[in-house]
Amino acid sequence: MLVDLDYFYAQCEEKRDPSIKEKPVVVSVYSGRTEDSGVVSTANYIAREYGVRSGIPISVAKSRLREVDAVFLPVDHAFYDEMSEKVMVILRSYADRFEEVGIDEAYLDVTERAGRDYGAATEIARDMKGEVKAHLGLTCSIGIAPNKVVAKIAADVNKPDGLTVVKPDAMREFLNPLPVGSLIGVGKKTEDRMKAMGIGTIGDLAQIDEKTLIDTFGQKLGSYFRRAANGIDDTPVQERGERLSVSRISTLKEDTRDLKAISRLSDRLCDDIYSMLIERNLGFTSIAVVAITRDLAVHTKSKTLERPSDRPEILRNTATALLSELLDELELPVRRVGVRVSGLAKAETPNKRLTDFT
DNA sequence: GTATGCTTTCGGC
DNA sequence: TTACGGCCGAAAGCATAC
């Protein structure tokens, strides 16, 4: 089954201050460039009635809510992380196997404790929803199905506070009428490409021969689409390992092509990443930068070191060099700058020593 | 051709 | 009409080695 906490950030804010829960609540990332620049991260269902959705500019949200007593709040990740941890402890206790997906989502394999019975699985889900509600006051939506791909879609069709069960015999009729965009992995771009091929629903997709799909979308995606559309997925529910990368991105106060201004911001991002690496005693092997230009186009450049490093100046200098190269390839001014490190490796020596002697 | 590694883009939240 | 964040993982695309 897939458990998805409803409108998570906004629901957390409603718990912190229950007086707002009868109003539209909009939680946003403010870029700091102007008073209202930034985008909506999550909105509660009252705000959604006004067309306020994740990803729209704050200014758009404000104009859609201009005649209403709405609450606009900045994101508070520390608080949501804390709530998430508490939820995950409860969810994990209901699972044979557990896989945390994001801050607000998790897959649970309950096959064994439900004795392969969908009625029993449904009872488990109800109990779990009850406990999350009683202990933390949060609602969630749950999809129960024979596999992860279908469970995810099932959780999506009935929100908030939903519980949808799709048994093996019902998979075809459940999936066929849904738009291809319901499938995980089919975003806007892929959906447009499929539409152009005359594929609108999952049922349409299920009929396309595998060769065509592989030729169009590549080996992995093509065969995944084919199987997923037919309700086939044998990927296990399993614990996720350590994080593979750490990144920071931020918006410049104003668009610029001045390397000084760009590297000033880049240095800040590097320092922030570096302090995270120190905390976890990690080195990095690969450094990538991203520059988002005035037209919101994304440009990246990366470099892999010959061996892992734990030196902050390597991080800073490499990032700036990459950004300088990237800038040479671009014509428009830069709006946002980001740095990402990957190839994370445990540093051999304890941190104290590292900073003292290397 | 296969395996492998690096860079860039895409999708989800 | 426009408006516009900050993360993460995974795969495609490409190059290279054998």
Side-chain angles (χ1 to χ4, degrees):
Chain A
M1 68 173 77
L2 184 276
V3 182
D4 187 354
L5 278 298
D6 298 320
Y7 61 102
F8 185 57
Y9 294 178
Q11 208 189 349
C12 287
E13 295 296 347
E14 290 178 358
K15 285 306 115 188
R16 171 149 64 188
D17 177 6
S19 75
I20 65 178
K21 74 176 181 201
E22 311 299 327
K23 306 177 184 177
V25 176
V26 184
V27 179
S28 308
V29 182
Y30 290 84
S31 71
R33 164 170 287 216
T34 63
E35 166 123 356
D36 284 340
S37 67
V39 299
V40 172
S41 194
T42 319
N44 69 358
Y45 280 78
I46 303 175
R48 291 183 196 190
E49 285 174 29
Y50 294 86
V52 174
R53 305 251 178 287
S54 300
I56 69 170
I58 295 167
S59 52
V60 174
K62 289 217 162 158
S63 92
R64 289 187 183 163
L65 289 167
R66 68 180 165 272
E67 302 192 343
V68 204
D69 181 19
V71 178
F72 283 81
L73 297 166
V75 291
D76 179 356
H77 275 113
F79 178 56
Y80 313 143
D81 280 342
E82 205 179 296
M83 295 288 277
S84 173
E85 257 182 62
K86 291 178 181 167
V87 174
M88 294 300 169
V89 167
I90 295 175
L91 300 189
R92 189 184 291 274
S93 75
Y94 283 84
D96 302 327
R97 273 166 294 280
F98 186 72
E99 179 175 349
E100 204 173 319
V101 181
I103 191 170
D104 68 343
E105 248 184 74
Y107 288 102
L108 284 70
D109 188 338
V110 300
T111 310
E112 288 157 32
R113 65 183 70 193
R116 314 194 70 85
D117 180 77
Y118 281 82
T122 306
E123 278 314 300
I124 290 171
R126 277 196 229 286
D127 289 352
M128 188 167 62
K129 276 165 82 86
E131 186 173 342
V132 171
K133 180 77 186 175
H135 283 57
L136 303 169
L138 296 173
T139 64
C140 57
S141 295
I142 298 183
I144 298 176
N147 57 55
K148 294 204 287 185
V149 162
V150 182
K152 168 77 179 163
I153 301 173
D156 275 339
V157 298
N158 185 11
K159 294 175 141 185
D161 204 12
L163 174 52
T164 303
V165 183
V166 180
K167 297 183 193 176
D169 289 348
M171 280 213 287
R172 271 250 134 59
E173 54 180 328
F174 172 72
L175 291 176
N176 280 346
L178 297 172
V180 286
S182 319
L183 269 185
I184 190 160
V186 181
K188 178 83 174 70
K189 300 213 173 190
T190 308
E191 186 165 20
D192 288 348
R193 287 174 69 191
M194 287 185 178
K195 198 156 289 172
M197 297 166 70
I199 306 168
T201 66
I202 294 181
D204 296 339
L205 185 60
Q207 308 251 333
I208 310 294
D209 69 285
E210 186 160 13
K211 182 173 185 320
T212 306
L213 290 176
I214 288 174
D215 288 348
T216 313
F217 299 104
Q219 180 64 49
K220 278 268 191 178
L221 271 180
S223 66
Y224 160 72
F225 288 150
R226 166 84 204 177
R227 292 165 62 82
N230 285 278
I232 300 167
D233 170 27
D234 52 18
T235 60
V237 173
Q238 57 184 345
E239 295 285 347
R240 302 234 167 155
E242 298 294 299
R243 218 169 11 164
L244 303 176
S245 69
V246 178
S247 62
R248 291 292 180 272
I249 184 167
S250 187
T251 303
L252 288 153
K253 195 70 187 161
E254 51 205 10
D255 297 358
T256 183
R257 292 185 48 80
D258 175 24
L259 185 59
K260 279 263 171 51
I262 289 170
S263 66
R264 247 198 317 275
L265 177 53
S266 164
D267 284 351
R268 286 223 316 267
L269 302 174
C270 288
D271 292 349
D272 198 13
I273 289 170
Y274 184 70
S275 62
M276 167 80 72
L277 294 176
I278 284 284
E279 259 173 52
R280 319 232 165 156
N281 194 28
L282 291 170
F284 53 90
T285 315
S286 204
I287 301 159
V289 296
V290 54
I292 293 157
T293 38
R294 171 173 287 168
D295 60 351
L296 298 181
V298 178
H299 309 272
T300 64
K301 211 171 216 355
S302 66
K303 180 181 169 75
T304 297
L305 307 173
E306 288 178 15
R307 65 191 76 85
S309 169
D310 52 27
R311 308 302 311 258
E313 64 275 15
I314 299 262
L315 179 53
R316 277 184 173 219
N317 294 343
T318 308
T320 294
L322 287 167
L323 283 164
S324 172
E325 289 173 33
L326 199 48
L327 203 54
D328 287 341
E329 297 167 17
L330 303 175
E331 288 176 3
L332 293 174
V334 176
R335 180 184 180 91
R336 300 166 65 202
V337 173
V339 179
R340 163 137 78 163
V341 295
S342 57
L344 304 182
K346 274 277 180 246
E348 297 283 327
T349 4
N351 286 323
K352 262 192 233 161
R353 293 286 173 88
L354 274 179
T355 46
D356 284 350
F357 295 112
T358 57

